[in-house]
Amino acid sequence: MSAVGLRRRATVLAALRSWFAERGFLEVPTPARVPSPAMEEHLHGLPAGDAWLRTSPEFALKRVLAMGLPRIYEIGPCFRAEESGPWHGTEFLMLEWYRVGAPLCALVEDVESLVQACAAALDVSPPTWTHWTVAEAFLTLAKVDLATATVTTLRGHDDDTWDEAFFRCFLDHVEPNLPPATFLRDWPVSQAALATIRTDGHPRAERFEAYLNGVELANAFHELVDATEQRSRFETANRERIGMGFAPHPVDEGLIQAVGQMPPTSGIALGVERLVAALCGWDSIHPGRVSSPAP
Amino acid sequence: MYQTSDIKKGLKIEENGAPYTVVDFLFVKPGKGCAFTRTKLKNLITGSVLDRTYKSGESLVEADVEEHTMQYLYNDGTDFHFMNMEDFSQIGISAETIGNTSDFLVEEMEVQVLFYNNQPVNIDVPNFVELAIEYTEPGIKGNTSQGATKSATLTTGAEVQVPLFLEQGEILKIDTRTRQYVSRVR
């Protein structure tokens, strides 16, 4: 935590809010205390009394989308247990925004424009983006053909699942060697989370991630709007959690109902402190945060 | 056994049947993937560095390593003998285990000996030693030209490159890590 760091973060927050205001987005704060912290098997929530602290505002914002608001965003604290390090905080500041009726590529343009606006506010030069599919990144940086990849060709360990071997290869060979600013789109179907799946050609999740200076900055989905499929993914994730020795997450009925009523939408979550750190060239998110006293 | 949450700098672990120490580590977690800890490990025997990424929940084997301060006693022609300065026990260590610093050992020198599974696997001699020149070609007075060197054999048998003006019998300070001449000791 430093005075300069906190000023930089305030500059970015102001730039973000004016960027959204200029484009007609409505800021919608939603509750931090929620009935279910997450769906995904690798996200761990913090209990808060008889409820949970949210790992992202996604479920509540989807209920807002189902009410018929077309362009919304929220900037607020989110909480993920068991995550801490130079680029992780148990509590962190998340930005999410949604565009009803927009294709995923509209959010690519949003990220480019919004990062440029924040860079201008900080008086630093904006990045030049590289656009790759995940398969292109693996082929270029790890020399692995994802379409035929196995745990062995991904240089995984014997007890790795395919997804674990995928991430091991990604973390060891792809992520450290990405161009300074990169969009990676079309993720494996097993990592769709709450994204739709494209079945023309090789099936893939309609999802992209933005990386800035080697750090994962944002994750975007063309959002799933099928309530039955949403419930089935919730149940699959819970079975995987139980298999890994974690308690299942409560199924969020409000979310499932909202997903069934939502129009086609693209949505994205972005780590605000990571954006500040990446633009300022810091080696961690922490200069731009108020440190939390030890409990 | 250690868990990935126990990983910190200096932790001694076993990997591929060799002892390693953690020199650096980073918690990494893709937003949609499982957590990993990326580590940089240094082999305690060879000094080589290994990048190893551990999956969250994976167990790590604790390396049975101990370091003892020992005094060099003598060389019996095969092994170099040392005495433990705490319990005065003695052991012989082969020249192969000691590696390329064996020709800097002088009697009564204190070294750090690393034991892995109760076997000596590596010794650390002091970074700097002072040794006399046993033999070198006669010195050329006044020749201080930069970079020009000649070979000198030290009393322990070590051969090092020294400046041209040095004479037999003079005492030198040597950096044992680089085997380089540092200065003349007056």
Side-chain angles (χ1 to χ4, degrees):
Chain A
M1 148 168 120
S2 73
V4 172
L6 298 180
R7 285 204 181 92
R8 296 271 189 280
R9 181 175 66 170
T11 301
V12 168
L13 284 171
L16 290 172
R17 287 201 162 92
S18 60
W19 188 92
F20 284 109
E22 284 160 17
R23 285 157 186 80
F25 280 81
L26 187 71
E27 182 170 11
V28 185
T30 65
R33 211 165 137 272
V34 293
S36 175
M39 179 203 82
E40 292 148 56
E41 63 272 22
H42 296 301
L43 292 182
H44 305 295
L46 284 175
D50 56 357
W52 296 86
L53 295 177
R54 62 185 178 181
T55 59
S56 92
E58 179 161 10
F59 295 179
L61 287 172
K62 284 185 172 169
R63 286 193 284 124
V64 176
L65 291 168
M67 287 167 53
L69 289 173
R71 289 182 179 195
I72 56 172
Y73 79 101
E74 177 171 6
I75 297 174
C78 292
F79 304 82
R80 293 183 181 180
E82 295 174 29
E83 297 192 16
S84 72
W87 296 101
H88 294 265
T90 303
E91 176 174 351
F92 61 100
L93 206 50
M94 179 93 105
L95 159 64
E96 281 204 9
W97 73 97
Y98 291 84
R99 274 183 184 271
V100 168
L104 202 51
C105 59
L107 295 182
V108 170
E109 288 170 21
D110 278 356
V111 171
E112 290 194 3
S113 159
L114 177 150
V115 170
Q116 188 170 15
C118 292
L122 289 168
D123 202 16
V124 299
S125 42
T128 306
W129 293 89
T130 299
H131 300 256
W132 271 345
T133 62
V134 174
E136 284 168 342
F138 270 75
L139 199 57
T140 310
L141 303 176
K143 311 281 176 248
V144 171
D145 176 5
L146 265 195
T148 58
T150 61
V151 169
T152 311
T153 61
L154 287 164
R155 284 158 266 184
H157 293 191
D158 295 344
D159 62 344
D160 282 350
T161 62
W162 191 91
D163 276 351
E164 286 167 346
F166 169 92
F167 281 116
R168 197 187 284 280
C169 186
F170 183 77
L171 292 171
D172 283 348
H173 304 286
V174 179
E175 193 185 79
N177 301 312
L178 286 173
T182 310
F183 287 105
L184 292 182
R185 66 179 188 280
D186 296 347
W187 288 74
V189 169
S190 55
Q191 294 149 23
L194 285 82
T196 53
I197 290 169
R198 271 169 71 177
T199 48
D200 54 316
H202 192 68
R204 56 223 183 268
E206 277 210 276
R207 212 189 109 196
F208 75 76
E209 296 247 5
Y211 285 81
L212 196 51
N213 296 343
V215 174
E216 182 184 349
L217 179 69
N219 174 73
F221 294 146
H222 189 248
E223 303 289 349
L224 184 65
V225 288
D226 177 337
T228 312
E229 171 70 9
Q230 178 66 69
R231 184 182 297 282
S232 143
R233 286 195 200 176
F234 227 122
E235 286 163 358
T236 304
N238 271 339
R239 274 197 298 278
E240 288 180 20
R241 285 184 66 80
I242 293 165
M244 291 187 291
F246 298 113
H249 286 142
V251 174
D252 189 325
E253 293 297 336
L255 168 76
I256 289 175
Q257 201 184 350
V259 163
Q261 294 164 354
M262 254 170 67
T265 298
S266 290
I268 180 165
L270 180 150
V272 175
E273 290 135 330
R274 286 185 176 185
L275 173 61
V276 180
L279 287 175
C280 293
W282 299 335
D283 56 7
S284 97
I285 55 173
H286 298 287
R289 290 157 54 88
V290 177
S291 51
S292 155
Chain B
M1 288 292 221
Y2 293 122
Q3 302 303 311
T4 44
S5 52
D6 297 326
I7 293 174
K8 59 177 191 286
K9 282 185 192 174
L11 191 76
K12 308 270 194 298
I13 56 168
E14 199 170 273
E15 192 60 56
N16 309 321
Y20 284 87
T21 182
V22 175
V23 291
D24 212 354
F25 72 100
L26 180 66
F27 174 83
V28 284
K29 184 183 180 304
K32 303 298 162 197
C34 54
F36 292 88
T37 304
R38 189 185 280 160
T39 63
K40 204 170 269 303
L41 305 175
K42 190 172 144 204
N43 186 312
L44 287 167
I45 300 174
T46 65
S48 63
V49 173
L50 174 74
D51 292 313
R52 171 76 160 86
T53 301
Y54 293 95
K55 193 162 61 180
S56 200
E58 211 173 327
S59 349
L60 292 76
V61 179
E62 186 176 346
D64 176 11
V65 289
E66 281 180 37
E67 201 169 49
H68 293 294
T69 303
M70 303 189 88
Q71 190 182 65
Y72 174 56
L73 302 174
Y74 63 92
N75 176 4
D76 67 7
T78 343
D79 287 350
F80 292 78
H81 290 260
F82 295 84
M83 181 171 67
N84 188 322
M85 300 302 282
E86 286 149 39
D87 62 10
F88 307 109
S89 59
Q90 296 186 14
I91 53 157
I93 304 178
S94 69
E96 191 192 352
T97 299
I98 293 175
N100 65 2
T101 51
S102 65
D103 56 5
F104 289 126
L105 290 171
V106 286
E107 283 171 28
E108 296 186 13
M109 178 186 276
E110 286 192 1
V111 299
Q112 298 297 317
V113 180
L114 184 78
F115 289 82
Y116 173 49
N117 296 331
N118 298 316
Q119 293 296 314
V121 290
N122 195 27
I123 79 161
D124 272 341
V125 301
N127 290 345
F128 298 101
V129 293
E130 291 180 2
L131 293 167
I133 299 179
E134 174 102 359
Y135 175 77
T136 189
E137 295 290 330
I140 304 163
K141 283 260 181 311
N143 190 335
T144 55
S145 59
Q146 290 295 313
T149 60
K150 60 180 177 177
S151 182
T153 309
L154 308 179
T155 47
T156 56
E159 277 205 18
V160 295
Q161 291 295 309
V162 299
L164 297 177
F165 61 85
L166 291 171
E167 299 283 2
Q168 255 168 243
E170 286 191 280
I171 298 173
L172 313 180
K173 185 175 177 182
I174 306 292
D175 187 327
T176 58
R177 296 162 294 186
T178 59
R179 300 182 71 85
Q180 276 179 352
Y181 163 85
V182 178
S183 63
R184 182 154 52 162
V185 181
R186 300 206 181 257

